[in-house]
Amino acid sequence: IKSSAASDVYKRQVLHKEILQTVQSLPDWAADVLLLSAVYGCSTRELASVLGITVEAAKKRLQRARVLFRNKMKEGETR
C-alpha cells in the first residue's frame, strides 16, 4: 500500500511539473489569463477589468488560451 501511495505522489509531481512547463511555454497573454482564472479564481468580468479589455474579449482570450494549453499538453503526451 505504501508503494501505491508513493507512486500516486510521484505521478502528481510529474503532472504538476508538466502543467507548469506547459503554462510557461505559452505566450504571455495566454499564461496570464490562465493563471488569473485557474490559480487566482478570477471571473471573466474580473479578467476583463485586470486586463483592461471587454468581458467578451476576456471570454474569447480565455477560450483560446485553454485550447493552446490543451494542445500543448497533448503534444507532450505523444513525445
Side-chain angles (χ1 to χ4, degrees), residues 23-24 26-36 65:
V23 170
Q24 290 173 338
L26 294 173
D28 288 343
W29 67 265
D32 290 347
V33 77
L34 283 175
L35 291 173
L36 287 168

Side-chain angles (χ1 to χ4, degrees), residues 21-64:
Q21 289 174 337
T22 300
V23 170
Q24 290 173 338
S25 74
L26 294 173
D28 288 343
W29 67 265
D32 290 347
V33 77
L34 283 175
L35 291 173
L36 287 168
S37 175
V39 176
Y40 294 103
C42 290
S43 67
T44 51
R45 180 170 284 149
E46 291 168 326
L47 287 173
S49 176
V50 168
L51 299 172
I53 58 178
T54 66
V55 172
E56 282 304 311
K59 287 179 185 178
K60 192 66 173 175
R61 193 175 290 190
L62 183 56
Q63 177 186 17
R64 290 185 326 190

